[in-house]
Amino acid sequence: VRRFLIAASAGFVLAYTALRAREAWKDLNAPAGPLEKDAREYGATKRALMIAGLARSLAGHATVAFALSERMPRSARESSSPLNVAAWNALGTLAEAALDLPVDYVERYVLERRYGLSDQKLDDWLRDRAKMTLVSLALTTPLVMGLTAVARRFPRTWPLIASAATPPLLIFLSLVTPVYVAPIFNKFEPLRGTLEQRLRRLAERYGVGDADIFRFDMSRQTKKANAYVAGLLGTHRIAIADTLLDGFSEDEIEFVVAHELGHYVARDTWMGVAVGSIAIAALLHAANALARRGDASDASFAGFARLSFWMQLLGVAAGPLLAAGSRWIERRADRFALGATHRPDWGIAAFERLREKNLAEDEQPRWAELLISTHPSLRSRIEALRAATV
Ligand SMILES: [Zn+2]
């Protein structure tokens, strides 16, 4: 059964990749035409691809953890030298990036182009992907080395030590990401002008009139609009996409920024660190218990690959709970925006504009909303505003 499952997993990954590679090759030679702008169709496609992507990723990690890592050269397989483990991990990351390339070309690049949501040039898209792989290597290599060193030195207690190290690590990542990682992909500049004045007056009422507000060129990647809050302490900031600033009215922008201000004032990025730390600690302990079942715990690449497979599988299972928490935080930010602006009509207009620009569905199927949505449906957000008495 075990052998059959491993063969099926490997076969699935290879067949799926081959199929997409053929489609990618066809599209490169004769680009497929545009698709009708149907939000329901687009949403259903994205959901199906997301589920296929999860299955593919789990199958790929299972193949590495339970088959490939056991066929590695013996010296490499049994070595628990941090450098050795990190080198194999880097090799795995690069192999994964190569296998993902044709898949993502068809499922992201071509799909977004056909729905008229992006006109990014192929070399810009490829450059972004190369940067992403390098950033991921730069972040995971020291992490894997540290984890291996601790697991080798403390074979019994290392999950506890790793859990204790998670909050400071997440704090460090949250501090540096907006300042050193995000600018690798986009240009950020302080928002200026009359709109800035208007947004500052809003922020001042909550004692954060000096908040950093940035504009960034998301139009490089997509026509979709977005805004977010990132960072902690000195790097805490509100970032607004140029697609939003250029495509929305000032009233609509003020409502969106008021929503982000809700996250900013509530310091939701700290909540992210707290929830992330608890989730990682729980996953690490559960995955370690599953990974060492039968085998002795080991700090080799094979041990690490098994651990990361189980962490991913359990992470999928924990997803719905995290998504529900996220929807709760989003509803709270919507209520904040309503209280700050007293203009439900601005909010309704903003959500309707978002629906049009992002080709978003009014409502997802119930199962999708419950299992995967990090935001409440547009319909329920608009209904909440309609029902509001200001
Ligand atoms: Zn939000």
Side-chain angles (χ1 to χ4, degrees):
V1 173
R2 186 188 149 99
R3 277 187 168 205
F4 171 77
L5 281 176
I6 291 169
S9 296
F12 171 63
V13 173
L14 290 175
Y16 196 98
T17 309
L19 188 84
R20 290 301 191 210
R22 210 177 71 142
E23 286 173 351
W25 180 251
K26 266 206 224 154
D27 183 86
L28 284 167
N29 287 308
L35 291 165
E36 194 198 334
K37 286 211 163 205
D38 182 334
R40 198 163 280 276
E41 194 73 38
Y42 175 65
T45 305
K46 296 280 279 187
R47 271 190 296 279
L49 293 178
M50 200 208 81
I51 292 165
L54 264 181
R56 196 172 55 91
S57 179
L58 280 171
H61 282 110
T63 307
V64 173
F66 302 109
L68 291 185
S69 66
E70 280 162 22
R71 283 168 184 72
M72 278 164 47
R74 199 188 149 98
S75 60
R77 188 178 67 220
E78 283 168 10
S79 162
S80 60
S81 124
L83 204 60
N84 176 71
V85 175
W88 282 98
N89 180 64
L91 196 68
T93 304
L94 292 174
E96 193 179 11
L99 285 174
D100 281 345
L101 188 62
V103 176
D104 288 346
Y105 175 77
V106 172
E107 298 184 356
R108 293 171 198 252
Y109 184 79
V110 172
L111 191 75
E112 297 293 288
R113 186 196 73 211
R114 297 187 71 192
Y115 274 105
L117 294 167
S118 169
D119 48 16
Q120 193 179 20
K121 296 263 181 303
L122 183 57
D123 25 332
D124 286 337
W125 184 77
L126 288 171
R127 201 169 304 127
D128 274 356
R129 286 187 66 89
K131 286 183 195 169
M132 243 178 276
T133 306
L134 290 177
V135 166
S136 148
L137 277 178
L139 290 176
T140 54
T141 301
L143 202 66
V144 168
M145 289 181 70
L147 201 61
T148 316
V150 172
R152 183 158 76 160
R153 177 85 177 72
F154 306 98
R156 292 169 63 85
T157 50
W158 73 266
L160 268 177
I161 300 170
S163 302
T166 303
L169 258 172
L170 288 183
I171 290 172
F172 172 75
L173 281 178
S174 302
L175 277 171
V176 300
T177 300
V179 188
Y180 294 107
V181 181
I184 297 175
F185 300 95
N186 289 95
K187 213 176 112 195
F188 288 77
E189 47 194 20
L191 184 70
R192 295 269 176 256
T194 52
L195 181 65
E196 186 212 356
Q197 304 304 323
R198 185 174 167 178
L199 299 178
R200 287 216 179 284
R201 276 199 297 278
L202 180 73
E204 261 160 25
R205 300 204 335 248
Y206 298 91
V208 291
D210 59 345
D212 282 321
I213 309 177
F214 287 93
R215 170 197 178 95
F216 70 104
D217 58 349
M218 195 163 96
S219 58
R220 286 192 47 198
Q221 285 99 1
T222 178
K223 294 181 184 174
K224 292 178 181 172
N226 201 5
Y228 65 85
V229 173
L232 299 169
L233 306 171
T235 68
H236 201 198
R237 72 221 14 234
I238 296 174
I240 317 173
D242 56 353
T243 41
L244 193 129
L245 291 167
D246 299 339
F248 286 51
S249 77
E250 284 207 0
D251 294 344
E252 291 159 5
I253 295 171
E254 179 165 341
F255 191 90
V256 173
V257 172
H259 169 102
E260 300 307 328
L261 208 56
H263 292 309
Y264 189 95
V265 171
R267 295 195 170 82
D268 284 339
T269 49
W270 281 107
M271 174 79 105
V273 168
V275 171
S277 300
I278 293 167
I280 289 174
L283 288 177
L284 206 56
H285 279 84
N288 184 49
L290 286 163
R292 64 191 301 179
R293 200 163 47 108
D295 304 306
S297 166
D298 69 82
S300 68
F301 175 73
F304 179 75
R306 279 196 297 273
L307 183 80
S308 91
F309 166 77
W310 287 115
M311 274 192 85
Q312 200 194 10
L313 188 68
L314 295 170
V316 172
L321 189 65
L322 295 173
S326 169
R327 289 196 299 276
W328 179 74
I329 286 178
E330 294 304 332
R331 271 192 289 269
R332 197 185 57 182
D334 277 354
R335 284 196 298 274
F336 181 95
L338 182 66
T341 58
H342 300 291
R343 294 301 297 258
D345 54 327
W346 292 356
I348 293 168
F351 287 138
E352 282 171 351
R353 181 91 57 198
L354 212 56
R355 175 172 63 194
E356 168 210 326
K357 296 263 178 204
N358 293 10
L359 198 56
E361 287 168 289
D362 256 332
E363 205 161 28
Q364 299 191 11
R366 190 88 186 113
W367 65 266
E369 166 128 23
L370 282 177
L371 295 182
I372 43 188
S373 291
T374 55
H375 287 66
S377 71
L378 277 179
R379 174 169 297 167
S380 71
R381 296 176 86 176
I382 290 174
E383 269 168 11
L385 288 174
R386 284 222 170 94
T389 43
V390 189

